[in-house]
Amino acid sequence: MKNQFLEITDPIHDFIRLNSTEQKIIDTSVFQRLRRIKQLSGAHLTYPGAQHTRFEHSLGVMHIAGMAGTSLASKKQMPGTDIDDIRLAALLHDIGHGPFSHLFEEVLQKKKRITHEQIGKEIILKSEIGDIISKTTDKKKINRLAVGEGSKQFENEIISGALSADMMDYLLRDGYFTGAEHAKIDHNRITNSFEVYKNKLALQSSALVNFETMMISRFQMFKAVYFHKTVRAGEVMLLEAMSLADDHLGLSSMNAQEYVKQTDDTILEKLTSLPETNSELKAAKKIANDYQDRKLFKCVFEKTISGKKTFGKNTLKQFRADIAKKSKLAENQIFIDTTTTHSMPLAPSKKESSSIILIKKEGGKITPQIIPISKIPLVSTMSGKMNILRAYTQQKNRNKVEIAAKSILGEL
């Protein structure tokens, strides 16, 4: 039987083609759930157009991963038969995300050390998605590759890392839907310049400028969008509400069957409908309703922490207690947020990417060069970590907390 294809119109990639196996996967209820999980959590309260979801992002990552595979196969650097596997793994790389994406993961990790990748593994292996995959290929192979644990390192790096399809799609897509002007990436040029060197993903040296542009775009998107103080205000509220209500709602104790039924809307509905039987539930309900009505916390202090300095949970708790005492307010009126990310994308090993392999071709001669990130002038200035410390409170407490926060945190 001839393979049937479906084309989906996409604002980023024009058309995304799906084969019959991919169609069957996206038609499952488990995958369709991603339509109801926003890519950028609460960013739409700051950037109204940011209504896009994990669903279309997953399709986009699959599309770019397929482009990368086709490019490498045309150069005889990987078998063409691997392209479909790479596309499937890319399609499923976010299947384990919970409501509000990484925020829900933070709630989970407070009680059990589990990531969306681990949940994704269980979904791929034990749901109907795994049954569909098994009809055409090895679901265990796809499962490993989807979370960066495949046997071929360069295939892992196509899906996650400094040259990944994941990053190329989310930057393009997030930039488009937020209206930010920072995400300028030539993903066609980058994928067509891919090479393989010693089982690692490399880039033709002529495309170095495109890599530099992508890293700068990522850095600027974190500053302007992902770590925007008002975007984070909404996220701090969601995280606080979910944490306060966790024991009552059992958010961190759900089994896989319950987990895959949860979306942004189901969790927000649960939070805004909480019984006010104790102070924590009352506070969680108030915060959730304020979030829904866009009565966001106000940022009263902000400082970018240079170098590798980070603050542990106990330190943040102490900051909260000290500011509360100074401002003569209850601690539950003070919210300390620290947003930290590696300036360079993480490799599949979860360590910050420290180098890039460049391939130079002249007169039939191939010359590889491993370039440390620190030696790339435009990119080296961004190496290390982005770390921003902020204090938030409700509008009514703004002046008191601002004075206290500046007094206590100003000299850090």
Side-chain angles (χ1 to χ4, degrees):
M1 180 179 174
K2 189 175 181 180
N3 202 356
Q4 298 296 309
F5 290 96
L6 171 71
E7 281 195 336
I8 294 177
T9 304
D10 180 73
I12 307 302
H13 305 298
D14 295 330
F15 295 99
I16 295 175
R17 174 177 276 197
L18 299 165
N19 65 33
S20 58
T21 298
E22 293 158 358
Q23 289 177 51
K24 290 174 184 174
I25 287 173
I26 70 167
D27 283 342
T28 63
S29 60
V30 177
F31 197 91
Q32 287 291 317
R33 179 184 69 100
L34 297 181
R35 289 185 185 271
R36 300 182 293 280
I37 297 176
K38 289 185 178 67
Q39 176 75 5
L40 297 182
S41 303
H44 62 287
L45 297 179
T46 304
Y47 298 97
Q51 300 283 349
H52 57 303
T53 70
R54 293 278 161 183
F55 180 87
E56 55 262 41
H57 166 62
S58 296
L59 296 179
V61 177
M62 178 196 71
H63 177 75
I64 297 178
M67 291 171 58
T70 300
S71 172
L72 292 174
S74 71
K75 300 168 188 173
K76 310 298 183 187
Q77 296 188 341
M78 65 169 275
T81 51
D82 280 2
I83 297 175
D84 282 351
D85 285 350
I86 289 175
R87 282 173 59 92
L88 277 178
L91 181 66
L92 296 169
H93 81 288
D94 270 352
I95 195 66
H97 265 298
F100 306 112
S101 299
H102 294 287
L103 297 182
F104 199 81
E105 193 169 348
E106 285 189 55
V107 175
L108 291 180
Q109 292 197 345
K110 287 185 177 181
K111 292 192 175 179
K112 53 183 180 181
R113 305 300 297 176
I114 190 167
T115 65
H116 74 272
E117 288 97 346
Q118 291 169 308
I119 295 170
K121 282 183 178 181
E122 186 173 355
I123 291 172
I124 293 171
L125 292 177
K126 296 181 181 180
S127 75
E128 58 185 317
I129 287 176
D131 298 334
I132 294 169
I133 293 171
S134 294
K135 292 178 180 178
T136 57
T137 189
D138 181 0
K139 68 179 180 181
K140 291 182 180 179
K141 176 184 176 183
I142 302 302
N143 189 42
R144 291 191 296 269
L145 184 54
V147 296
E149 298 173 358
S151 60
K152 297 178 181 178
Q153 179 65 14
F154 72 90
E155 291 186 356
N156 295 326
E157 291 170 342
I158 287 173
I159 296 171
S160 64
L163 292 169
S164 68
D166 178 37
M167 182 171 64
M168 283 187 265
D169 185 82
Y170 79 64
L171 288 176
L172 287 167
R173 199 168 296 277
D174 295 349
Y176 178 88
F177 283 103
T178 59
E181 294 294 323
H182 309 289
K184 305 298 183 184
I185 302 161
D186 190 346
H187 65 293
N188 290 292
R189 178 78 170 92
I190 292 172
T191 53
N192 285 326
S193 299
F194 278 169
E195 303 279 344
V196 176
Y197 176 72
K198 292 187 176 179
N199 199 36
K200 294 182 179 180
L201 193 62
L203 191 68
Q204 292 173 11
S205 57
S206 58
L208 177 60
V209 66
N210 304 98
F211 172 75
E212 291 176 331
T213 300
M214 182 165 65
M215 291 299 100
I216 293 169
S217 292
R218 179 182 179 274
F219 184 79
Q220 295 290 3
M221 284 294 286
F222 267 95
K223 289 177 66 178
V225 177
Y226 309 139
F227 285 179
H228 188 289
K229 67 179 182 180
T230 312
V231 171
R232 282 301 298 173
E235 293 178 348
V236 167
M237 292 175 75
L238 286 170
L239 188 57
E240 183 73 8
M242 287 191 289
S243 298
L244 289 172
D246 185 18
D247 287 342
H248 178 78
L249 297 178
L251 302 180
S252 60
S253 58
M254 292 179 182
N255 58 36
Q257 289 73 31
E258 294 169 322
Y259 183 90
V260 296
K261 294 177 182 177
Q262 307 308 316
T263 67
D264 293 0
D265 289 341
T266 64
I267 295 300
L268 192 55
E269 173 63 25
K270 289 177 180 180
L271 291 172
T272 55
S273 303
L274 287 166
E276 299 182 22
T277 51
N278 61 48
S279 59
E280 289 194 341
L281 294 181
K282 186 176 181 179
K285 183 176 182 177
K286 173 73 164 60
I287 291 170
N289 278 297
D290 283 349
Y291 169 86
Q292 188 164 251
D293 295 336
R294 204 188 179 278
K295 296 177 181 177
L296 303 179
F297 291 165
K298 301 300 178 183
C299 179
V300 296
F301 178 87
E302 176 181 313
K303 185 168 187 176
T304 299
I305 308 298
S306 59
K308 297 182 178 180
K309 186 175 182 180
T310 57
F311 301 108
K313 290 180 180 179
N314 290 335
T315 302
L316 296 177
K317 285 181 179 179
Q318 190 60 53
F319 288 160
R320 187 180 196 181
D322 291 345
I323 293 172
K325 184 178 180 180
K326 185 85 173 178
S327 60
K328 297 180 180 179
L329 292 168
E331 285 188 31
N332 62 9
Q333 303 295 301
I334 315 294
F335 305 91
I336 306 298
D337 178 49
T338 178
T339 43
T340 304
T341 190
H342 293 270
S343 298
M344 292 297 104
L346 299 185
S349 64
K350 304 305 178 187
K351 294 180 180 179
E352 183 174 346
S353 302
S354 59
S355 63
I356 183 171
I357 304 172
L358 298 179
I359 302 293
K360 190 173 184 180
K361 294 182 177 180
E362 281 185 338
K365 184 181 179 182
I366 298 175
T367 306
Q369 187 177 15
I370 301 176
I371 305 290
I373 296 292
S374 60
K375 298 298 182 182
I376 303 175
L378 288 177
V379 180
S380 64
T381 58
M382 300 180 295
S383 62
K385 285 188 175 182
M386 282 186 277
N387 190 5
I388 303 174
L389 178 69
R390 293 187 176 112
Y392 289 91
T393 190
Q394 294 95 340
Q395 173 68 38
K396 63 181 181 180
N397 301 322
R398 189 169 187 169
N399 292 336
K400 288 182 180 180
V401 178
E402 182 175 4
I403 293 168
K406 285 180 179 178
S407 171
I408 291 164
L409 304 178
E411 300 302 317
L412 292 175

